[in-house]
Amino acid sequence: MDSYTKDTHRYAFAMVKAARSMPVDIAEKLQHIKQLRFNVQLKELRKRINRRIT
C-alpha cells in the first residue's frame, strides 16, 4: 500500500503519477483511481449525513 495515510493524498498522488503518462480524463477512468475517488467521496458523504442527524 501507499505510505500516505489519507485517502485524499492517495488519490491526488495516484492522479499525478498516472497523468504523467496519459491524459487526465483517461487516468480518471483507471480502476484503482476510481476506487480511491469512491473512498474519498464515501467518507465525505458519511460526514455530511452525520452532521445532518446530530
Side-chain angles (χ1 to χ4, degrees), residues 21-43:
S21 61
M22 63 185 76
V24 174
D25 60 330
I26 296 174
E28 286 181 332
K29 294 177 184 176
L30 295 174
Q31 188 60 38
H32 70 282
I33 293 178
K34 280 184 185 178
Q35 186 62 43
L36 289 169
R37 184 175 59 235
F38 176 78
N39 291 343
V40 170
Q41 290 172 339
L42 185 63
K43 192 173 186 178

